[in-house]
């Protein structure tokens, strides 16, 4: 059968109307309820004087205020009937329980049991608690206990819900209030009988399973648990009433410490629960992030802030608070699930360039410094190839350039596939630690101790996991994560020869969390093995991706071809003299040492990614920004929390014309500053001089230097010769009227400069001839021309 | 009677014109007697040589241009053609020679002893300045071995620079010092601290220094003023070179990049990624090639005009010091071997060095002697000079005369100072000066505002004058303001 109890009230039976009790007690209970309602009893001792007095008081009080006199209503039959109204004034008088129960003695039909109960009730002196409010009753907490009688006949409880009593047969229509509906649905979902109090299949099964003793034991256990719970509650209540802040602080700290300890244990023993716990922590962190707690803005913090100047402990406390806040509000990089987002992220000039994905190779297991890219430069086998090979390479490069976009897509696909596979492998690793061992076998002897440890750990985990074979995805996820953490601490170092190439066929997998990074690092060994297989897979996929419609955005954003930038095929130079100092080995050693030191110093930096980041930054800075001229609240409603409408924003957003393409657009390894050098501008010609019509004309005129630093002597003399040479001592006569006669358009003028030069020459030939003669000659010429024309 | 000077000039001009008209007269001659002159006209100039002296492209004068413009354009074109022709014609006089081995003999196996036997060095005095790690500074005439001065500065010497025989600068551990030819300290420039490398821009009279603190500073030697101090934010700067073509300073950085700087910009003009490892050494040719060597043991040749890599060589030991001669011969020091490469910049990739020589210790620095076929090598055991056919045989005595006398030097100094190029003109394109500034008015105005510190064209806001007797009440002030606003609208 079922038993419902309201959460709050102790005397649940009476208080909750929705609750049912056993059949036997039913009548008595209803009578009790009646009693509750009839709370007043007639008091015959009340004298008339008193009544009059109260009336007087009432009358006086009514005189002063606006309050109207309440007409007392007659609700009960009484002995005294007022002459003014029918109201029974015995309302204030209480009904004694004994009066009511007195009649019980006289009635012969009543069972002894009930009489006894009523007597007990009569003896109780404490008042009953108020029934729960309506809201609270709605929140009834439902506990379902399956009561298991040994013999079905003996203890046949019948659940007859008061709620559903009215029309049981109509089923769904019974449930009217939300509470009812809830209960109904609950029953329904648990396959409990609603209409017929026949045992459910579960109950039947349990009946078979349990004997009476067991049931008793169980009951005892339950009782104990309940008692314990109540004790605990009482304790908690008591503690919560303690006002000492110090006490609470200490308590909190202790709790936190305990919790951490527990959690650590839990991680080892029960990863499932630990994961759950983690989630809970995450939730609390999120809540914290939403609130303004621990920001030192509360009353306490303000008080402390005042004291902080003088009091060390106060300062410390504040700092602690801030630290807590920092811890809690730290924003975590959440790995995104969907690939679309990844793609978007790639297309954006992301915060992290792709190079970050590069697994850091550990070349020298002993020296942690030697991780960088510097030392892995070995002469490639093809390097010694002749120039023909080089040409071929160039061709190949060009082809690569052409196929670049497609390849990018292929690579992306491949990368994606690989990544997923690796994730799966990770999980497999958890279950099959042998594979991890295989991986570590490659390593040097130095790492063997560590490996042993790892193996042990793995075995432990394996055992645990065997216990929980049915662990779900979540659990496995957590395990893989944890395993990765464990392994990352002891990752065996494998010399990675192909690092350079790896760097070049850079993928589009974006690392977003530390875990991913860790995973990548772990997978490095695998990648080295797959290196050979990758190109093989490349070729079949190529036509497929080529047939795919190419992504336009991809096309636009050309990835930098690093092969072109830094791994230009280097021709090895053969040195006839033996490669430096074979005779003086000591010095050679010194050299290598120095080189090692230098390498050490610069090992950390990833040169290429830094450069690309820098370039991207520069490009960003050069791009014009969209000017938003929207005035909030102008032409529409404004105020707190109101944003200007999209339409308006679109209208007032001024897009600046894109700048001319960057000079270094086609040079991946070069950043050319686009800043204008204003200093030269001061010396430059800012306005086009007179006869010129465009700058190119002017520039071509100025392009040849005329100084003797750049020219032969004769050239300088010719170039710098004055156009007009005025001879000293010659008389220059004023212009005559004839000179001012407008010239006719002659062939001479059209012929231009050459003729002018000739003229000049003629003039020069005449020794000592003055300006006058020249003029006269000119005149004569003109006259001649006129004549010939005529 | 004494001749008047104009008569003289007339004669001179007449001569010039006679030259000019010579081809015409020749043509006339050929018309008259065709059989007599088998090579009519001027001697033809090879196309290549013409190309060598070409400056810019020829401008085609469009059909509908105005007379005046047409005139100017044709004249200037004629001038350019003349200059080009003449230069190409006289190029014949410039000779050059190179080391040529006998048949089947590798030039790089010829030892220096053999060369020294075959060569007789005759040349004017030239000075050599040496600075030791431990503070030893010496100035000698390297051919006569005459010691000019020898001092010990009692500090680490980072770099040295010889302006003329009268003066030299030494970058010491802390500051930059300038000494005269007898070793007397003239200046201690404390503004230039922790200098590691120096470069002198001869036509600008600028001493560019790169310091350990990451500052690139320019000192105007003629005035003694700091022209620019640029915080490069690139860490320790110990690789430096100048581009003789445009006086731009190249700096090499430990992150494999090479940056180009001018004193006029606070950010690098160009930043290029050259090596995977740090850049060890760097040198630039005046024809537009840059050679870099890095910790990745590669030697790379870049076309600095297009910023594109041309060649990449793999040296087994990597080059620690690089130097380019006036004629484009590259010397690279790897450990204790100095290798020479011919045509490393242009042409086909090189597979073996042109010459090689082993010196006694690790090489610290190499430098070609200008106008001489000598390479100076500073190494751990001292200084070695070796004979390499590297120098420009044809010097311009007006520009740089290796045989100059004291008087000539003094004159040169004055002339050079008069022709000093202002530091503002340093930019990637040295021909910027001959171009029209096509910046918009807005841009110019912006620059002006930046330079002046305020907007000179800004409209001043009307501020009503304070008046007495209640005429400065809020209402009347507002009225006055309105009036002014109204006027402005008109």
């Amino acid at each position: 059968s079922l038993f419902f109890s309201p959460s709050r009230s102790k005397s649940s039976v009476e208080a909750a109307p929705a609750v049912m009790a056993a059949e036997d007690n039913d009548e008595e209970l209803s009578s009790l309820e009646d009693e509750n309602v009839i709370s007043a009893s007639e008091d015959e001792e009340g004298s008339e004087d008193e009544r009059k007095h109260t009336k007087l008081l009432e009358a006086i009080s009514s005189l002063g205020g606006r309050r109207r006199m309440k007409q007392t209503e007659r609700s009960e039959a009484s002995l005294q009937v007022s002459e003014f109204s029918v109201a029974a004034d015995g309302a204030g008088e209480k009904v004694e329980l004994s009066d009511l129960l007195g009649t019980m003695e006289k009635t012969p039909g009543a069972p002894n049991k009930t009489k006894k109960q009523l007597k007990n009730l009569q003896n109780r002196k404490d008042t009953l608690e108020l029934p729960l409010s309506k809201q609270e009753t709605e929140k009834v907490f439902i506990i379902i206990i399956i009561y298991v009688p040994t013999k079905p006949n003996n203890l046949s409880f019948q659940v007859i819900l008061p709620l559903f009593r009215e029309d049981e047969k109509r089923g769904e229509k019974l449930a009217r209030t939300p509470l009812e509906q809830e209960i109904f649905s609950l029953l329904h979902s648990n396959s409990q009988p609603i209409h017929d109090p026949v045992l459910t299949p579960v109950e039947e099964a349990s009946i078979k399973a349990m004997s009476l003793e067991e049931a008793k034991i169980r009951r005892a256990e339950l009782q104990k648990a309940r008692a314990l719970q109540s004790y605990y509650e009482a304790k908690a209540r008591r503690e919560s009433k303690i006002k000492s802040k110090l006490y609470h602080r200490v308590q909190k700290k202790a709790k936190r410490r305990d919790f951490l300890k527990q959690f650590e244990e839990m991680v080892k023993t029960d990863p499932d629960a630990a994961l759950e716990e983690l989630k809970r922590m995450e939730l609390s962190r999120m809540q914290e992030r939403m609130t303004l707690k621990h920001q030192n803005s509360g009353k306490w913090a303000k008080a402390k802030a005042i004291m902080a100047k003088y009091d060390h402990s106060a300062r410390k406390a504040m700092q602690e608070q801030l630290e807590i806040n920092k811890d809690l509000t730290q924003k975590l990089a959440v790995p995104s699930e969907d690939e679309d987002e990844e793609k978007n992220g790639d297309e954006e000039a992301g915060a992290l360039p792709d190079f970050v994905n590069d697994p850091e190779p550990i070349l020298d297991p002993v020296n942690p410094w030697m991780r960088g890219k510097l030392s892995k430069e070995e002469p490639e086998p093809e390097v010694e190839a002749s120039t023909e090979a080089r040409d071929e390479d160039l061709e190949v490069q060009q082809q690569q350039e052409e196929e670049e976009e497609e390849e990018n897509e292929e690579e992306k696909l491949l990368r994606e596939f690989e990544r997923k596979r690796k994730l799966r492998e990770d999980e497999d690793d958890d279950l099959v630690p042998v594979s991890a061992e295989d991986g570590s076998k490659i390593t040097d002897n130095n790492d063997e101790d560590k490996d042993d440890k790892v193996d042990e750990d793995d075995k432990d985990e394996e055992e645990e996991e065997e216990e929980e074979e049915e662990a779900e995805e979540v659990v496995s996820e957590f395990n893989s994560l944890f395993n990765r953490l464990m392994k990352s601490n002891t990752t065996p170092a494998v010399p990675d020869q192909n690092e350079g190439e790896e760097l070049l066929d850079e993928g589009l997998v974006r690392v977003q969390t530390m875990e991913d990074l860790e995973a990548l690092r772990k997978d490095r060994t695998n990648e080295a093995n797959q290196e050979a297989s990758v190109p093989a897979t490349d070729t079949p996929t190529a036509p497929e991706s080529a047939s795919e419609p190419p992504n336009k955005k991809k096309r636009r954003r050309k990835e930098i071809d690093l092969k072109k930038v830094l791994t230009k095929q280097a021709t090895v130079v053969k040195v006839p003299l033996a490669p430096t100092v074979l005779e003086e080995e000591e010095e050679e050693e010194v050299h290598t040492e120095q080189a090692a030191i230098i390498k050490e110093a610069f090992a950390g930096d990833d040169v290429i990614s830094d450069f690309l980041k820098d370039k991207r930054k520069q490009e960003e800075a050069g791009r014009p920004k969209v000017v938003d001229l929207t005035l909030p609240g102008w032409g529409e409603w404004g105020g707190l929390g109101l944003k200007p409408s999209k339409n308006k924003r679109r209208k007032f957003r001024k897009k600046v014309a894109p700048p001319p393409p960057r000079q270094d657009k086609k040079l991946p390894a070069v950043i050319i500053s686009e800043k204008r050098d204003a200093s030269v501008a001061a010396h430059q010609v800012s306005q086009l001089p007179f006869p010129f019509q465009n700058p190119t004309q002017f520039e071509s005129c100025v392009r040849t230097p005329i100084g003797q630093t750049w020219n032969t002597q004769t050239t300088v003399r010719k170039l710098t010769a004055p156009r007009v040479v005025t001879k000293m001592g010659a008389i220059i006569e004023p212009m005559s009227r004839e000179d001012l006669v407008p010239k006719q358009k002659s062939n001479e003028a059209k012929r231009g400069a050459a003729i002018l030069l000739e003229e000049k020459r003629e003039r020069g030939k005449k020794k000592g001839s003055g300006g006058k003669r020249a003029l006269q000659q000119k005149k004569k010429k003109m006259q001649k021309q006129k004549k010939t024309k005529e | 009677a004494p001749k008047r000077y104009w008569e003289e000039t007339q004669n001179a001009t007449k001569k010039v014109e006679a030259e000019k008209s010579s081809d015409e007269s020749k043509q006339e001659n050929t018309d008259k007697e065709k059989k007599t002159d088998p090579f009519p006209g001027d001697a033809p100039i090879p196309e290549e040589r013409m190309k060598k002296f070409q400056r810019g492209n020829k401008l085609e004068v469009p059909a509908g241009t105005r007379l005046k413009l047409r005139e100017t354009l044709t004249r200037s074109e004629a001038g350019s053609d003349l200059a080009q022709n003449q230069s190409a014609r006289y190029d014949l006089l410039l000779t050059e020679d190179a080391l040529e081995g006998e048949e089947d003999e590798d030039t790089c196996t010829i030892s220096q002893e053999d060369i020294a036997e075959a060569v007789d060095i005759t040349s004017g005095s030239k000075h050599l300045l040496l600075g030791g790690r431990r503070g030893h500074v010496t100035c000698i005439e390297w051919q006569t071995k005459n010691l000019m001065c020898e001092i010990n500065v009692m500090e680490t010497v980072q770099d040295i620079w010889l302006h003329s025989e009268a003066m030299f600068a030494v970058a010491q551990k802390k500051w930059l010092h300038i000494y005269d030819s007898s070793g007397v300290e003239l200046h201690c420039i404390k503004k230039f601290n922790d200098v590691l490398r120096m470069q002198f821009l001869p036509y600008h009279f600028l001493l560019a220094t790169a310091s350990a603190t990451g500052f690139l500073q320019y000192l105007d030697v003629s005035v003694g003023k700091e022209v620019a101090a640029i915080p490069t934010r690139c860490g320790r700067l110990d690789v430096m070179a100048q581009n003789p073509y445009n006086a731009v300073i190249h700096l090499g950085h430990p992150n494999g990049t090479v940056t180009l700087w001018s004193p006029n910009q606070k950010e690098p003009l160009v930043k290029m990624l050259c090596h995977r490892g740090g850049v060890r050494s760097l040198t630039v040719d005046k024809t537009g090639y840059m050679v870099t060597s890095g910790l990745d043991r590669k030697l790379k040749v870049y076309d600095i005009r297009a910023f594109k890599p041309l060649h990449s060589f793999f040296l087994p030991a990597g080059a620690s010091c690089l130097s380019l001669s006036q004629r484009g011969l590259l010397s690279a020091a790897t450990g204790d071997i100095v290798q020479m490469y011919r045509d490393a910049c242009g042409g086909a990739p090189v597979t073996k060095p042109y010459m090689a020589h082993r010196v006694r210790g690790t090489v610290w620095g190499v430098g070609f002697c200008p106008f001489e076929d000598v390479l100076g090598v500073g190494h751990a055991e001292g200084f070695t000079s070796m004979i390499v056919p590297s120098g420009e045989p044809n010097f311009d005595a007006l520009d740089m005369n290796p045989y100059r006398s004291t008087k000539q030097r003094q004159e040169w100094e004055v002339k050079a100072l008069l022709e000093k190029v202002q530091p503002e003109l340093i930019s990637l394109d040295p021909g910027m000066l001959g171009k029209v500034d096509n910046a918009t008015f807005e841009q110019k105005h912006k620059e002006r505002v930046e330079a002046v510190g305020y907007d000179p064209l800004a409209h001043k806001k009307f501020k009503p004058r304070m008046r007495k007797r209640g005429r400065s009440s809020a209402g009347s002030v507002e009225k006055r303001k309105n009036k002014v606003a109204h006027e402005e609208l008109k």
Side-chain angles (χ1 to χ4, degrees), chain A residues 107 140 162 232 254 308 332 394 417 550 570 575 580 591 618 644 688 786:
Chain A
T107 45
V140 175
Y232 184 76
L332 296 179
L394 276 171
F417 175 65
V575 186
T580 3
H591 251 281
Q618 290 254 342
L688 204 61
K786 273 180 192 173

Side-chain angles (χ1 to χ4, degrees), chain A residues 472-653:
Chain A
E472 293 146 24
E473 261 190 89
V474 199
V475 187
S476 71
E477 188 185 310
F478 177 78
N479 281 339
S480 69
L481 205 153
F482 183 68
N483 257 24
R484 241 176 270 157
L485 272 171
M486 290 294 291
K487 277 177 191 168
S488 70
N489 294 336
T490 56
T491 18
V494 175
D496 194 347
Q497 304 288 338
N498 302 326
E499 202 276 333
E501 285 169 39
E502 235 169 78
L503 183 98
L504 294 172
D505 50 54
E506 199 43 66
L508 292 163
V509 185
R510 183 167 174 169
V511 178
Q512 275 157 327
T513 54
M514 286 310 289
E515 284 85 12
D516 281 13
L517 264 175
E518 223 79 68
L520 274 174
R521 182 180 292 180
K522 219 207 77 172
D523 295 334
R524 187 174 32 70
T525 50
N526 296 341
E527 252 173 68
N529 297 335
Q530 287 153 12
E531 199 77 73
S533 65
V534 166
T537 51
D538 247 318
T539 38
T541 49
E544 285 171 27
S545 58
S547 64
E548 280 171 13
N551 195 347
K552 278 189 179 178
K553 273 199 170 179
K554 280 279 144 55
R555 218 161 247 275
R556 210 172 297 154
R557 210 187 127 57
K558 226 181 175 187
E559 278 296 314
I560 287 165
D561 183 14
L562 285 164
K563 276 179 189 166
K564 253 185 151 182
V565 179
L566 283 180
T567 52
K568 202 170 188 297
Q569 278 295 330
T571 46
V572 168
V573 175
K574 288 172 203 154
V575 186
L577 293 180
T580 3
V581 206
L582 275 178
E583 306 140 6
E584 301 161 62
E585 283 185 353
E586 294 165 6
E587 219 172 74
E588 175 71 7
E589 271 174 32
V590 170
H591 251 281
T592 48
E593 258 177 48
Q594 267 184 344
I597 290 165
I598 292 163
K599 274 173 192 169
E600 234 175 62
F602 303 121
D605 10 306
D606 186 355
V607 169
I608 301 167
S609 74
D610 283 353
F611 186 83
L612 288 185
K613 229 189 261 179
D614 200 5
K615 179 156 185 171
R616 234 169 255 173
K617 218 198 265 170
Q618 290 254 342
E619 278 170 3
E620 280 298 307
R623 225 166 274 159
K625 275 150 204 155
V626 176
V627 185
D628 196 359
L629 294 172
T630 331
L631 284 173
W634 198 255
E636 60 191 5
W637 284 107
L640 207 68
L642 277 178
K643 279 180 187 169
S645 67
K646 251 187 198 172
N647 235 348
K648 194 179 167 191
R649 261 186 292 167
R650 202 188 307 137
K651 202 174 168 188
F652 285 100
R653 196 172 285 171

